[in-house]
Amino acid sequence: MVDHAAKLSDHVWSRYDRKEQWTRYAVYLATLIAIVWAVRDIDIFWPWVWDAPNQIQSLGARMWPPRFDTWNAIFHAMLETVHIATLSTMLTIFIALPVSYIAAQNTTPNKATLWLGRFILVSSRSVNTIIWALLFVAIFGPGVLAGILAVMFRSVGFIGKLMGEAIEEIDRRPVEAMEATGASKMKVVLYAIVPQVMPAFFAIIILRWDINIRESTVLGLVGAGGIGVLLQGSIDLFAWQTVATILLAIVALVILGEAVTSALRKKVI
Amino acid sequence: MLEITNLVKRYGRNDPVLKGLNLSVDGSSVVSIVGASGAGKSTMLRCINRLVEPTSGSIKLNGHELVNLRGSELRHSRRRIGMVFQGFNLIDRLTVMENVLSGRLGYVSFFQALTRRFPQTDINRAFNLMERVGIAHYANKRADQLSGGERQRVAVVRALMQEPEILLADEPTASLDPKTSQQIMRLLQTLASEMSLPVLINIHNVTQARMYTDRIVGMRHGQMIFDGAPKDFNQDALDAIYGGIESPEEDSGEPQHQTAQEALA
């Protein structure tokens, strides 16, 4: 009995073995080096940083009180912003769904289409909306069309990727059952896959619409329509009181969008 | 009449799962196929409707060769083969009626399938069959709100909607409690005689195989080692099929495992 107890007390346990422990120390060190390196390399002009509180105060004073005399123009620009977000989200669906179908491993017809799908998704996602907007402003000229296309091109990657993942996560058994009835490929998709990805589809579309509203507010900075055009114009004219109103309006719109999307989410899911 | 001759199935370069299987089933007989997990029961059943591609051999349904069919020919043949699965394989988010009517997908057009506008004869047939198995009052309920036994009834009705010439059942009772599984077995038995439909049932439960089927086929390592009436299925046959294999009931994940293998192959 005593022997047994002595044996038990000899058990040694630690969460990480020696090798894992050294790996952890190495990761800590690497992180530290990266931070130090970055801070030393980016060349901050420190006097400006120390001057920042004064600048904030002065800018605040120039913005106060917000001027509401142009509220009509701001309101219309806001509507335009929402329209850009809504239209581009809607149009994206028609492109993103086929792309997600060929980018999902379990539905793609062959290797070539799989890589084509993935290529479309990656290239769409790796370019920011603002950069797409710059490109389309150069092609189509400034305006709403360039904005819609820019938001669409970025959204295809987002919706396509998440829908592709939703398709890959489906339960395969209904697919098997539908194949066994002698249904064609498209009917199998319609009955065994579509119902399974429906909840994910609505969640993704609502989320992307929400993101697109926020993205549409900055499109105008490069001339692609929406509230950003007014914002840029007011900054250029040093009309800081109008800038304040526009910023408030954007905050209000984002909060409103948040409220609407969370209500929608509760409804459909 | 189903005739399987010299059926071989091999996954990749592994040992064949089915090693030259011969089996013929005629008329309205209910045949149970017993064997340990990995004996090839599920693979054999899936070769018949070509969910699994046979490596070689011949499978004839009413004189019609099923191996080597492609595209629409394959789909037309599949319409005549109903299948019931261990996991029911219903579409959970659709209603019972939609699940039942999905048995007609091989017959209706894509547009009819999309808009759920099935021919009146199909709808009548659906209600008749649902009443026959006692689920007609669930028509508009979502499939995932039903109990296991009810779900399997939906699956049976879906298979019968195809107007099949043969019904395949892959462990139809393995996910059900003992009482419900007896009800499903009895249902399959009576439906087979009512519709003079041959039924092939993969089953782990030897007692139920004895009780509800006309003929027992025993498989081991991809070969048929017993074929006879339930009364001839004695201890020797049981030992030959399960002997040296520990508790065959334990692993019921066989079909999924094999489809996963197929996906990799």
Side-chain angles (χ1 to χ4, degrees):
Chain A
M1 207 57 214
V2 178
D3 275 345
H4 194 61
K7 233 187 219 164
L8 274 179
S9 67
D10 278 348
H11 287 301
V12 177
W13 184 86
S14 65
R15 172 66 182 78
Y16 303 103
D17 65 24
R18 184 161 299 209
K19 192 170 156 238
E20 285 171 329
Q21 197 61 265
W22 280 109
T23 319
R24 288 165 66 81
Y25 289 144
V27 171
Y28 291 149
L29 190 66
T31 314
L32 196 67
I33 289 172
I35 292 169
V36 172
W37 186 25
V39 170
R40 298 190 64 172
D41 232 34
I42 52 173
D43 207 14
I44 295 170
F45 187 63
W46 292 102
W48 283 356
V49 177
W50 309 136
D51 191 37
N54 289 331
Q55 291 301 326
I56 291 170
Q57 210 174 20
S58 132
L59 189 62
R62 273 175 282 164
M63 279 181 166
W64 189 261
R67 279 182 64 157
F68 290 98
D69 54 347
T70 53
W71 70 269
N72 206 10
I74 293 174
F75 182 74
H76 278 103
M78 283 316 229
L79 268 187
E80 193 177 86
T81 309
V82 176
H83 289 332
I84 292 174
T86 309
L87 264 179
S88 53
T89 310
M90 291 284 196
L91 292 172
T92 303
I93 296 171
F94 294 100
I95 305 171
L97 287 187
V99 174
S100 67
Y101 182 81
I102 63 168
Q105 278 190 3
N106 50 350
T107 51
T108 193
N110 56 51
K111 271 260 147 59
T113 54
L114 178 68
W115 287 107
L116 175 69
R118 287 183 172 173
F119 176 75
I120 295 172
L121 294 185
V122 168
S123 46
S124 157
R125 274 150 39 86
S126 56
V127 178
N128 194 286
T129 309
I130 274 294
I131 295 169
W132 282 122
L134 277 171
L135 223 72
F136 288 118
V137 167
I139 297 170
F140 296 99
V144 180
L145 179 64
I148 290 175
L149 286 173
V151 175
M152 272 178 70
F153 268 66
R154 176 64 184 79
S155 304
V156 164
F158 183 91
I159 295 175
K161 171 145 175 80
L162 291 180
M163 279 308 288
E165 278 170 7
I167 293 172
E168 280 173 356
E169 278 166 21
I170 59 162
D171 182 0
R172 237 204 74 78
R173 292 177 301 176
V175 176
E176 193 183 31
M178 290 299 99
E179 281 171 354
T181 65
S184 65
K185 185 115 193 180
M186 286 319 291
K187 290 181 206 161
V188 173
V189 170
L190 191 64
Y191 271 70
I193 298 180
V194 169
Q196 291 197 59
V197 298
M198 253 339 188
F201 173 75
F202 284 119
I204 293 165
I205 295 303
I206 291 168
L207 173 62
R208 189 64 217 183
W209 183 67
D210 189 18
I211 296 171
N212 282 348
I213 286 181
R214 278 175 271 142
E215 300 228 309
S216 305
T217 57
V218 293
L219 285 174
L221 299 182
V222 295
I227 188 72
V229 176
L230 273 189
L231 183 63
Q232 184 69 57
S234 307
I235 292 175
D236 289 345
L237 295 172
F238 304 112
W240 295 109
Q241 288 168 313
T242 311
V243 169
T245 318
I246 293 171
L247 291 180
L248 287 176
I250 290 175
V251 171
L253 178 71
V254 170
I255 291 173
L256 190 71
E258 191 77 39
V260 170
T261 51
S262 69
L264 274 179
R265 223 168 271 147
K266 267 184 209 140
K267 266 264 157 60
V268 294
I269 296 158
Chain B
M1 173 96 173
L2 177 78
E3 284 173 284
I4 300 177
T5 36
N6 209 12
L7 181 65
V8 176
K9 173 61 192 177
R10 183 195 296 269
Y11 289 101
R13 292 209 189 103
N14 297 326
D15 257 7
V17 182
L18 300 176
K19 299 166 185 161
L21 209 72
N22 293 296
L23 176 69
S24 81
V25 180
D26 51 2
S28 60
S29 55
V30 180
V31 180
S32 57
I33 301 153
V34 298
S37 297
K41 311 188 297 289
S42 193
T43 303
M44 189 196 79
L45 226 56
R46 282 171 163 73
C47 279
I48 296 171
N49 62 2
R50 300 270 305 280
L51 289 178
V52 165
E53 212 53 51
T55 308
S56 68
S58 148
I59 303 170
K60 280 185 182 164
L61 180 62
N62 298 332
H64 197 69
E65 178 61 56
L66 298 174
V67 177
N68 298 326
L69 291 180
R70 301 242 153 265
S72 67
E73 278 184 330
L74 172 61
R75 292 199 298 272
H76 277 87
S77 300
R78 276 178 176 167
R79 302 196 301 203
R80 296 294 182 180
I81 307 168
M83 189 161 188
V84 177
F85 302 85
Q86 176 184 348
F88 322 131
N89 296 21
L90 299 181
I91 302 134
D92 283 342
R93 295 180 56 83
L94 297 187
T95 62
V96 168
M97 192 61 176
E98 284 171 298
N99 269 286
V100 165
L101 286 171
S102 71
R104 297 302 291 177
L105 282 183
Y107 296 90
V108 300
S109 72
F110 178 79
F111 185 74
Q112 284 174 307
L114 176 71
T115 56
R116 313 292 201 251
R117 278 183 204 160
F118 287 82
Q120 190 58 42
T121 48
D122 290 355
I123 294 168
N124 290 342
R125 185 178 168 80
F127 273 114
N128 285 339
L129 285 167
M130 286 196 293
E131 265 157 31
R132 170 66 191 80
V133 304
I135 53 165
H137 54 293
Y138 290 137
N140 287 320
K141 256 194 163 178
R142 255 174 64 156
D144 54 4
Q145 293 176 325
L146 272 54
S147 72
E150 290 160 351
R151 286 158 69 78
Q152 195 59 293
R153 280 161 210 266
V154 175
V156 169
V157 171
R158 174 175 69 187
L160 294 177
M161 283 300 287
Q162 291 172 233
E163 298 177 75
E165 290 165 11
I166 188 169
L167 186 63
L168 313 174
D170 187 26
E171 311 274 359
T173 60
S175 308
L176 301 171
D177 64 67
K179 193 162 169 259
T180 321
S181 81
Q182 280 178 15
Q183 287 170 351
I184 293 291
M185 286 302 288
R186 204 173 303 132
L187 181 70
L188 289 174
Q189 187 189 28
T190 50
L191 286 172
S193 68
E194 273 173 34
M195 305 183 160
S196 54
L197 183 71
V199 182
L200 251 66
I201 307 177
N202 279 350
I203 189 164
H204 272 310
N205 189 323
V206 175
T207 323
Q208 283 183 357
R210 278 208 187 97
M211 266 173 88
Y212 297 106
T213 61
D214 313 321
R215 178 177 159 196
I216 295 180
V217 171
M219 280 178 69
R220 181 164 187 172
H221 301 316
Q223 274 162 333
M224 202 201 287
I225 57 168
F226 178 87
D227 186 358
K231 63 174 166 46
D232 300 326
F233 192 73
N234 52 23
Q235 190 59 44
D236 288 347
L238 202 62
D239 286 342
I241 292 166
Y242 290 113
I245 300 168
E246 284 168 32
S247 59
E249 255 84 358
E250 222 166 64
D251 180 11
S252 58
E254 179 199 30
Q256 280 85 349
H257 177 62
Q258 286 185 340
T259 46
Q261 270 191 339
E262 172 76 345
L264 289 174

